Amino acid sequence: MAPTRTPLLPDFARRIAAWCAVVLLVSGVIAVGVALCVTFQAAVTPVLIAILGTALLGPLHRRLIKMKVQRSLAAGLTCVAVVAAVGGAGYIIVRALIDSGDQIIASVKQAATDVVERLGARGTSLDDMSSSLKELVSKFGGTAASGVITGIGIVGGIMATAVLAMLLIFFFLRDSDRAAGALRSLGPPSAGDTVEAVARRAYRAVEGFMRGTTFIALIDAVCITVGLLVLRVPGAVGLGALVFMGAYIPYLGAFLSGAVAVLVAFADRGFAIAVWVLAVVLAVQVLEGHVLQPVIQSRTVQMHPAVVMLAITAGASVAGILGMLLAVPATAAAFGVIAEIRSRYEAGPAEPPTEPTGSAKPPEAPAS
C-alpha cells in the first residue's frame, strides 16, 4: 500500500494562495484594459459616451418601436430629439453662464478678498499668500493669449467626439436587437446564456444610473435655483446650471457647485444670506440622499458613498474630468456584473429534469 503524501501547505494557506492568484490575474487584466483605453482614448471616449447616451435614450427608442415605427427611423427621431433637447438646454445653460458668469466670477473673487482681509490681520503669512496668488494670476494672464490656439484645438476635438458619439448612438439604437446574438458569438456556446445575462445586468445598471442621475440633477437644479431666486442671489440661473452639470459627478460635483453658490451669496448679500444659501444647499442634499436616491434609483445597483468617492478619484487620476464622469457608471456596471455572477454561482448548475415518482413507463411495442 502506497504511503499517504502530506501536502506542503495546509488547506487554508492553499485557499489564500488561490484567491491571491485570482486577484492578481483580475488586477492584471483590468490594468491592461485601462492602459489600452488610455492609449486609444480618441476612439474609446466616443464609444463610452455613446453607451451612456444609448442607455439614457433607450426607453424613448423602445416606445417608438412599440408604436410600429421602423427601427432606423425610430433611432433617427431619437437622435434628433436628443440633439434638440441637448441643444436647447445647452443654449439656456451657456446663455445663463454668459449673462451671469462675469458676475459670479467677480463675486467669488470678492468673497476670497474679504476672507483674506479678515484673516490677514492675524499674521503676515496670509499676506504673503495673497501676494503670491496675485503674482500667479498675473503670470497666468500673461500666458493666457498663447493658449488660444490650444483652446481652439480642444473645442474642435470635443465637437468631433460629440459628432462621432451621436453617430454611434444612432447605430447602437438601430441595431440593439442584434446585441444578444453578437454577445453570444463572443463566447463559447455553453456560456452564451451567462454572457448575455451578465451583459444585460451591466447595461441595466448603467441605464438606471443615467436615468436616475438625470432626473435627480434636474430636481436639484430646480430646487436650488428657486431658493437662490427667493433669496435674490445674483446669477441664480447660472448657478442652477452649474448644479445640474455637477450632479453627474456624485458628491463632489454637488459640493463644488454648492460652495460656489455660497461664496456668491456671501460676496453680494452678506453673511446672513450666505448662511441661508448654505441651508438651502444642505436641505437639497438631504432630500437627495434620503428621498430621491432611495426612491428613484432603488432598482439600480446601490453603491456605498466610499466606493463612489474612490471610483471618482481613480477616474480623475486616469482621465481627468472625463474619468470622473465615466467612473461611477463603469463602477455601477461592474457591480451589476458581480451581482449576476454571484447569483448564478449561488444557484449552482441546473439539474436535469427527473421523471416524477410513481409514473409508469408506457408499454413497449411487441417485437415483430
Side-chain angles (χ1 to χ4, degrees), residues 33-108:
V34 172
L36 290 176
C37 290
V38 173
T39 303
F40 301 100
Q41 184 177 2
V44 173
T45 300
V47 175
L48 296 178
I49 295 176
I51 292 175
L52 297 182
T54 305
L56 183 61
L57 300 173
L60 176 59
H61 181 259
R62 290 193 294 267
R63 185 178 295 274
L64 292 176
I65 294 296
K66 290 180 179 179
M67 296 171 61
K68 306 302 181 181
V69 180
Q70 198 266 343
R71 297 194 66 89
S72 297
L73 181 59
L77 292 176
T78 304
C79 292
V80 170
V82 72
V83 168
V86 173
Y91 174 78
I92 294 174
I93 292 174
V94 171
R95 188 65 184 175
L97 291 177
I98 291 176
D99 293 340
S100 58
D102 295 337
Q103 192 174 12
I104 292 174
I105 294 174
S107 300
V108 172

Side-chain angles (χ1 to χ4, degrees), residues 21 31 71 81 123 135 168 190 209 251 305 310-311 317 345 351:
R71 297 194 66 89
E135 183 179 358
L168 290 175
S190 59
F209 173 81
Y251 304 109
L310 289 176
S317 63
Y345 176 78
E351 298 181 356

